[in-house]
Amino acid sequence: MENDKILILDDEQIVIEAITKHLSRRNYEIYSGKDGKEGLVLYHEVNPILIILDLRMPVMDGVEFLRKINLSPADSCSVIVLTGHGSDEEMERCFELGISAFLRKPFNIYELLGIVSHSIALKKVELDLKAELIQRAQMEDELQRYRNHLEELVEKRTVELQNTNDMLQKEIVERTNAEKHATRSLRDKEVLLREIHHRVKNNLQIVSSLLDLQTKYIKDPSTLDMFKDSQNRLKTMALLHEKLYQSDNMAEIDFAKYLTNLLDHLYRSYCIDTSCILMSTDIDKATIGLDTAVPCGLIVNELVSNSLKHAFKGQQGGRLSVSLHKLDDGQFKLTVSDTGVGLSDGIDLKNSKTLGLRLVNALVIEQLEGTLEFDTNNGTSFWIVFRELKYNTRGTKDDR
Ligand SMILES: Nc1ncnc2c1ncn2[C@@H]1O[C@H](COP(=O)(O)OP(=O)(O)O)[C@@H](O)[C@H]1O
Ligand SMILES: [Mg+2]
């Protein structure tokens, strides 16, 4: 650490030497001048922490020197006046000019040493305090800048968040509107579709009624039979459209319910007594789309009609069984069997001269792309294995 610098200004060399001798021993760095003018030069050059100042000096006296250096409490230097002649007025003026102690000659060197070390210690404390104050002011400045910056950031972020929020709100409103619109449009389409199925069913029934009216003019039993078959085919399809507009999603039909209704209708249509020809059904719960249900319904209509019309001729009665099972591989197995007289030998479904069995064969092979087998021992049994048809939106068959 650097030694503290002391500047002695006195026109008496002997005073300078006496003080220098004592101060040097205490590790101070001593500079000296014989008047105020020299003192000013040294003061600016050396920047001492303490000045020991005589008042009466040639060229420039102590008071003039004090005026020139214009001491203020914030300065890094303090001044002790050491004079042989100072009046009380001069002492007062010197204190006004910022000195810290006033000693008269002749002086006690130890008293001076005490005042010197005390003044230097006090100045150092002052300087430390000043440095600390400056540092604190700087820190506060920096803190304020940081706070301002932070406030700016918060403000900017708030604006950004507000904008994002506004955008999101707008998007939510847009989406909600779009959703409402889509729901409304879907509901409208559902209503429309239900209406279409209803009308198709009604139209099929009208055609059926027209056929019914026409039968009044037909006398030939086999032609009448053909009309009845046609009516039942129409009813089979009308029933499907009825089931569709009653269903929840209008795409799939509860096939078990549909088959039960169809069988009831056929029994009524052929005026069959259910205690005479017993009916047993074993139908798995399954929903099937219209594309599969139409050929399936028509097949059941043909096979059950045949059993009711032909199987029990000349017999007391018997049993008709219809079953539908979903197989493990996802296919369906439909069985229609009766305990009647059985088919005549050598029947060829493909080349049958009659429409019913030919229709069954065509529907199974071409529409359902399934397999058809039958057995004529102990009555007649037909069984058909098929997979539900999957249609794409344009109504063409998907690759399966
Ligand atoms: N379950 C059955 N039991 C006895 N004979 C049947 C049965 N199914 C069909 N047949 C016979 O096969 C013939 C052809 O049937 P089909 O092609 O449906 O014509 P349709 O029923 O109009 O006579 C019937 O006329 C009938 O003699
Ligand atoms: Mg038939």
Side-chain angles (χ1 to χ4, degrees), residues 225 229 233 302-303 306-312 338 340-344 347 352-358 380 382:
D225 226 34
D229 283 350
R233 286 169 193 138
E302 294 306 323
L303 295 178
N306 279 354
S307 294
L308 297 180
K309 277 198 306 183
H310 310 296
F312 303 105
D338 61 57
V341 295
L343 286 175
S344 47
I347 201 152
S352 169
K353 292 214 168 41
T354 47
L355 178 63
L357 290 179
R358 229 173 58 221
T380 310
F382 283 91

Side-chain angles (χ1 to χ4, degrees), residues 215-263:
T215 55
K216 305 279 185 288
Y217 302 94
I218 295 169
K219 298 283 172 270
D220 175 30
S222 70
T223 314
L224 263 176
D225 226 34
M226 275 164 58
F227 267 73
K228 197 171 191 162
D229 283 350
S230 296
Q231 272 184 299
N232 279 338
R233 286 169 193 138
L234 286 170
K235 178 69 187 179
T236 304
M237 291 202 282
L239 203 57
L240 276 173
H241 287 281
E242 188 179 314
K243 286 280 165 260
L244 266 183
Y245 75 68
Q246 286 168 350
S247 80
D248 289 337
N249 64 8
M250 268 174 306
E252 288 180 321
I253 292 148
D254 179 342
F255 208 63
K257 260 193 197 160
Y258 168 72
L259 281 184
T260 313
N261 285 173
L262 181 60
L263 294 174

Side-chain angles (χ1 to χ4, degrees), residues 157-222:
R157 191 83 189 107
T158 310
V159 171
E160 275 173 19
L161 281 174
Q162 189 59 47
N163 287 344
T164 313
N165 204 21
D166 287 352
M167 250 166 58
L168 283 175
Q169 288 286 351
K170 219 172 122 195
E171 206 177 306
I172 288 172
V173 170
E174 276 170 13
R175 279 191 189 195
T176 312
N177 286 343
E179 211 175 284
K180 272 189 203 156
H181 185 260
T183 312
R184 212 177 307 128
S185 152
L186 191 69
R187 218 178 309 126
D188 289 351
K189 287 198 175 118
E190 266 178 28
V191 170
L192 200 68
L193 197 59
R194 228 176 265 282
E195 180 65 21
I196 287 170
H197 283 304
H198 202 177
R199 286 188 188 188
V200 170
K201 184 214 104 182
N202 285 349
N203 288 347
L204 288 170
Q205 261 173 359
I206 289 170
V207 177
S208 177
S209 302
L210 287 173
L211 289 180
D212 204 37
L213 285 174
Q214 200 130 36
T215 55
K216 305 279 185 288
Y217 302 94
I218 295 169
K219 298 283 172 270
D220 175 30
S222 70

